[in-house]
Amino acid sequence: MADLPEIPDRLEIAGTAFTRIESPESIACWSADGDHRPVSVLTEPADAPDRATLDLTATVLRRFDELADLALAYLRERLREPEHGLSADELATLDAAEPPAAEPAAVVWADGTWLLRFAESRLRLADPYGIGVLFEGTAPSGIEDLSHADLA
């Protein structure tokens, strides 16, 4: 039988402590709430994150507010596309001074992509789990409709 990889219970990334949380055996997940910036790191198959994943997580931590603003601008632009089916009132929400989504949290995956999920939004498609912006590195690359997600 092959030896299982040594998976740490704690990680230190950019001065932020991450603690491994309970998850299925096939994945490893660490979570932190640094400076009210919730960030998680997930590897599948379960293993310690590699240097590239640690570096990306450090970038997300350091630039969290800037990347959240970038994600909001991306949402404001892309949600106008017809395939998202926003109503006239929802389209008006995109132009309001108040952001169309709030309470961002990041999940960084070991493949170099990550998701910034906004838990709160007045948009229908964000009900009940919020809405996500997918990133490749520091560039938004798509919108994740979480309205039918199974987050339980």
Side-chain angles (χ1 to χ4, degrees), residues 57-108:
T57 304
T59 298
V60 171
L61 285 165
R62 279 193 307 273
R63 296 177 55 191
F64 191 91
D65 292 336
E66 172 192 347
L67 294 167
D69 287 345
L70 185 61
L72 287 168
Y74 186 80
L75 285 173
R76 282 186 159 128
E77 178 184 332
R78 293 286 314 277
L79 288 176
R80 295 176 193 286
E81 296 170 359
E83 67 263 21
H84 297 293
L86 269 60
S87 68
D89 287 342
E90 289 176 310
L91 288 169
T93 298
L94 299 178
D95 295 324
E98 184 178 323
E103 296 187 31
V107 178
V108 179

Side-chain angles (χ1 to χ4, degrees), residues 11-16 18 32 34-35 37 39-41 49-67 106-109 114 137-138:
L11 301 171
E12 178 84 16
I13 305 171
T16 301
F18 285 74
D35 298 325
R37 294 178 181 106
V39 176
S40 298
V41 177
D50 63 15
R51 173 54 43 204
T53 303
L54 296 172
D55 290 346
L56 177 57
T57 304
T59 298
V60 171
L61 285 165
R62 279 193 307 273
R63 296 177 55 191
F64 191 91
D65 292 336
E66 172 192 347
L67 294 167
V107 178
V108 179
W109 295 294
W114 61 284
T138 57

Side-chain angles (χ1 to χ4, degrees), residues 8-9 18-24 27-32 40-42:
D9 289 330
F18 285 74
T19 304
R20 188 161 180 210
I21 60 174
E22 190 174 324
S23 59
I27 65 172
C29 185
W30 296 264
S31 185
S40 298
V41 177
L42 191 137

